[in-house]
Amino acid sequence: MIDSAQAEMALGKGIALEMISGVNDNMSRSHYHAYFELYFLDSGSRHQLLNGSVLDNVPGDVMLFAPLVMHHSYSDKDAPFSRVVIYFTPEMIEDPALLSA
């Protein structure tokens, strides 16, 4: 699923945000992008496949995916969730030390 924030990033925006709610809205495979993804789980539960490990997310969890890192988000069957994603390019980070971290 490509959300509208990803579409905005594809059009060249430096930062985009979207709140997504759903049930059985699971990615079919891992993906990556050329920008950062800040992921906040607002409600429900999700699983993240990251570097071969599955991480379970509960409400309040925040994850930051760096550019070009393969990841995959999914839920158990019929499990509702709500998440917020903020995408931003490396150019949006002005502090070189923060960017290299």
Side-chain angles (χ1 to χ4, degrees):
M1 171 190 141
I2 296 179
D3 55 58
S4 63
Q6 284 181 329
E8 290 178 31
M9 296 300 290
L11 293 173
K13 287 192 81 175
I15 188 167
L17 169 131
E18 184 160 8
M19 182 170 210
I20 303 163
S21 297
V23 176
N24 297 324
D25 179 14
N26 296 320
M27 296 177 175
S28 59
R29 63 180 189 259
S30 293
H31 70 283
Y32 65 90
H33 22 75
Y35 43 82
F36 288 94
E37 177 180 342
L38 184 63
Y39 180 104
F40 171 75
L41 186 64
D42 183 51
S43 66
S45 63
R46 294 288 278 176
H47 310 288
Q48 300 287 343
L49 179 59
L50 178 66
N51 296 328
S53 297
V54 175
L55 306 170
D56 296 324
N57 294 136
V58 297
D61 281 355
V62 176
M63 296 186 77
L64 177 64
F65 299 102
L68 307 180
V69 169
M70 294 290 285
H71 57 284
H72 180 138
S73 177
Y74 63 97
S75 290
D76 295 328
K77 186 171 174 29
D78 299 328
F81 69 93
S82 176
R83 69 180 185 245
V84 175
V85 290
I86 302 172
Y87 303 119
F88 56 97
T89 62
E91 293 77 23
M92 298 299 290
I93 301 174
E94 295 181 4
D95 182 343
L98 183 59
L99 184 57
S100 68

